Each structure stands twice: as structure tokens, then as C-alpha cells.
Amino acid sequence: MSEILTLEALSAPLRALRLLSADFRGLPAPVIDLSSIYPDRLSLSLHPSNGGFVAFEAWRAALGIAPNAVDFNVQCDHRTVVMTAHTEYGGADVTLTGFTEVPADVRRSRAGVAW
């Protein structure tokens, strides 16, 4: 039987979140995810409703993540771009994910073309 983690096991991402809220209080609020499955990880997600690409770029720059360290993918529906980057902050592994919509004119121009 596996050991049940206590809240103390999440101290690294909770500390990182506290530091981020103090250091970057002016940045757009992301969706925040903490999990006992990955107790050292803090996930920050930015969707079109909370700034999408612009918000992702603001967080990427604030966290000091190089532009070439961002993974860029288009989902199979060809409507959604997903950007992902990783860094360490405040003792936690931070995953930054941004979602944004592919503009309709780009989708139309790429119809039938492999992404």
C-alpha cells in the first residue's frame, strides 16, 4: 500500500506559489494546479480567457525562460496552439502552459496541409 502524503509534501510548490504571488502580482492570474501525484510541481496554465499567448509570454519572460525553450504544438483539431515551458522557481519545478486559438484565416490557409 502506498504512503498517503500530507500537505507538508506540497511545501515546495506552495512556497513557489507564495513567492510568485509576491514577485509577479501584476501578471495575469493563471489556472494553478498542485497535485500530490507530482508533489514538487507547480503548474500554471493560461487560456484565451485569461490572456492566452500574451499572458504566456509575460510569464515566460518573468520566469526567465528563453524563447527557444518553449515547446510549440498545434492540437489535432487545428484550432488550438499549446505552448509549454519548464523552469525551477522557489524550489519547485514549474510548468508553464499557454493555450491560444489558431486564427480562422490561418486554419483556412492550412486546410489539407500537414502541420
Side-chain angles (χ1 to χ4, degrees):
M1 184 168 196
S2 63
E3 177 185 340
I4 296 175
L5 297 178
T6 64
L7 192 57
E8 183 180 4
L10 298 175
S11 62
L14 287 169
R15 180 178 44 255
L17 182 58
R18 187 175 69 240
L19 291 170
L20 289 170
S21 68
D23 294 345
F24 306 118
R25 66 183 59 189
L27 290 180
V31 174
I32 297 165
D33 185 37
L34 299 165
S35 171
S36 59
I37 296 170
Y38 302 103
D40 293 330
R41 183 182 302 166
L42 172 63
S43 296
L44 308 174
S45 299
L46 297 141
H47 300 262
S49 61
N50 60 353
F53 180 72
V54 173
F56 177 88
E57 279 297 295
W59 274 101
R60 182 201 57 74
L63 292 170
I65 300 171
N68 63 353
V70 175
D71 291 326
F72 176 90
N73 294 291
V74 177
Q75 291 183 343
C76 63
D77 66 358
H78 303 293
R79 295 178 174 268
T80 307
V81 173
V82 182
M83 300 152 293
T84 308
H86 304 276
T87 193
E88 188 277 330
Y89 194 86
D93 295 322
V94 176
T95 299
L96 181 64
T97 306
F99 299 90
T100 194
E101 295 178 26
V102 175
D105 58 329
V106 173
R107 288 194 311 264
R108 281 192 299 275
S109 71
R110 304 253 333 152
V113 178
W115 286 79

